[in-house]
Amino acid sequence: MSHILVTGAAGFIGSHTVEQLLAAGHRVTGIDSFRTGHRANLANALREPAFALHETDVAAAGTVDALVAAARPDAVIHLAALVSVQESMLHPDLNYTLNVHAVQLVAEAARRHGVPRLVFASSAAIYGDSPVLPLHEGVPAQPISPYGAAKAASEVLLLGYARSFGLTVRCQRYFNVFGPRQDPASPYSGVISIFNRRYREGRGVTIYGDGGQTRDFVSVHDVARANVLAATRAGIPSGVANICTGRATSLREVVAEFARHFPAVPKAEFAAARPGDIVHSRGTAILAERELGFQAQVPVADGLAELIRLP
Ligand code: UD2
């Protein structure tokens, strides 16, 4: 059993990660500011005696340091972040504070208090609009948003810490994550969360472009498992790895799956492609398999069926 400190514990990926850690018998200290996370996401976890939750902001001076000093965890999984690419365009300063400055605070707390391992929520956004298919970790970072730039900068910062101070750092480049608890609030939220809400409400969806665009949609259950592996598996090296399925799914296929479950909902409408939209994005999952022993297990159709079944 290990003791793991999870920042962003009440978020979409954080809450699933906490639940899987607890199910595996680990002790978990969670931190969340509830800026975008929700206490309700932790309803199951909060019933477990092995879970403690602290409501605080990781970007505030001294906060993480004090919590890490008190908890002395075996690993930190740092998921607290500004999670919207769109918000990073509107508020680049806040993006810097939450996605770069806070990472430095976490890294420094880990160094000062001898935490042996740090897992970081990175993103396929660091690849920007690279046309390489499939995207592999050797493709240079060429972010096209403040969000992607901050994730790329933080990866470099953390890997520098790993080389300098001997802790193990894992940067997890999540692709298009989907699943229960993803927030559909903005038009720029993940497309599956938006489609799920609209089909449930009996409204049709809008497909921007011809629907032939493809993404590497990875279930949040797989992503949480990748986090658990990165934090707890013995003998893994520092490094970056795509967290993806290695498979492409088109938007048309996603819509067809929803339409099968909701035959009464009006047909999808088509609108002009969004400016700046990339057509195809898919990662290779080889490195995560080799270094973490991680392989995605949830087919997109199963993940969609799970979402649709939820009350
Ligand atoms: C991600 C970012 C986005 C931008 C982009 C850059 C997220 C959620 N989105 O978008 O902000 O940085 O990367 O490459 O991190 N779509 C529809 N109908 C809808 C909503 C979306 O057709 O109602 C399309 C959208 O135009 C795109 C696809 O669905 O072609 C996937 O959209 P997404 O925002 O879920 O993910 P992505 O990778 O395009």
Side-chain angles (χ1 to χ4, degrees):
M1 188 204 76
S2 301
H3 182 188
I4 314 292
L5 190 143
V6 180
T7 74
F12 165 47
I13 296 175
S15 60
H16 287 280
T17 301
V18 167
E19 283 179 1
Q20 287 198 20
L21 286 165
L22 291 169
H26 301 296
R27 214 172 112 213
V28 180
T29 298
I31 307 179
D32 208 291
S33 69
F34 297 111
R35 194 183 78 88
T36 52
H38 303 285
R39 193 176 289 273
N41 289 344
L42 291 169
N44 299 332
L46 284 164
R47 283 193 282 271
E48 303 276 341
F51 180 58
L53 178 64
H54 298 269
E55 179 172 353
T56 185
D57 181 358
V58 291
T63 308
V64 184
D65 190 80
L67 282 167
V68 171
R72 300 270 167 175
D74 300 297
V76 173
I77 304 181
H78 179 46
L79 308 175
L82 179 149
V83 296
S84 156
V85 173
Q86 183 66 8
E87 192 179 7
S88 82
M89 307 286 278
L90 298 172
H91 303 293
D93 277 346
L94 185 62
N95 171 66
Y96 177 81
T97 302
L98 299 184
N99 288 349
V100 183
H101 179 64
V103 175
Q104 164 65 20
L105 296 179
V106 170
E108 187 53 13
R111 180 190 73 79
R112 277 168 49 90
H113 303 294
V115 178
R117 198 179 291 192
L118 183 46
V119 179
F120 173 60
S122 188
S123 169
I126 68 149
Y127 297 118
D129 54 6
S130 166
V132 175
L133 274 180
L135 287 158
H136 58 87
E137 293 81 353
V139 172
Q142 43 186 21
I144 54 171
S145 65
Y147 175 85
K151 292 294 182 184
S154 290
E155 280 194 353
V156 174
L157 190 152
L158 289 171
L159 293 169
Y161 258 74
R163 287 296 296 262
S164 307
F165 305 118
L167 69 162
T168 302
V169 164
R170 292 303 311 181
C171 299
Q172 312 256 80
R173 295 180 175 173
Y174 309 137
F175 276 62
N176 287 68
V177 187
F178 75 102
R181 304 180 194 147
Q182 188 170 34
D183 190 355
S186 136
Y188 296 92
S189 297
V191 65
I192 289 177
S193 71
I194 295 173
F195 282 7
N196 183 44
R197 173 187 271 184
R198 291 191 66 96
Y199 272 99
R200 281 163 171 272
E201 293 173 351
R203 297 185 292 159
V205 299
T206 303
I207 297 176
Y208 301 119
D210 66 4
Q213 64 264 54
T214 58
R215 295 292 183 272
D216 189 328
F217 292 109
V218 56
S219 163
V220 71
H221 302 299
D222 281 326
V223 169
R225 197 163 41 80
N227 288 341
V228 174
L229 284 167
T232 62
R233 195 172 200 240
I236 59 178
S238 288
V240 306
N242 292 339
I243 303 299
C244 61
T245 68
R247 284 181 292 274
T249 304
S250 74
L251 222 49
R252 277 178 188 273
E253 291 173 275
V254 170
V255 166
E257 208 55 43
F258 275 108
R260 208 161 60 75
H261 290 274
F262 295 95
V265 171
K267 274 199 160 38
E269 288 179 359
F270 290 86
R274 279 180 172 171
D277 224 12
I278 50 171
V279 183
H280 299 295
S281 166
R282 176 168 65 89
T284 74
I286 292 169
L287 199 56
E289 184 173 357
R290 191 188 314 147
E291 296 195 341
L292 304 177
F294 167 75
Q295 250 188 323
Q297 290 169 353
V298 183
V300 172
D302 291 5
L304 294 178
E306 179 205 8
L307 267 184
I308 291 163
R309 268 197 314 273
L310 285 176

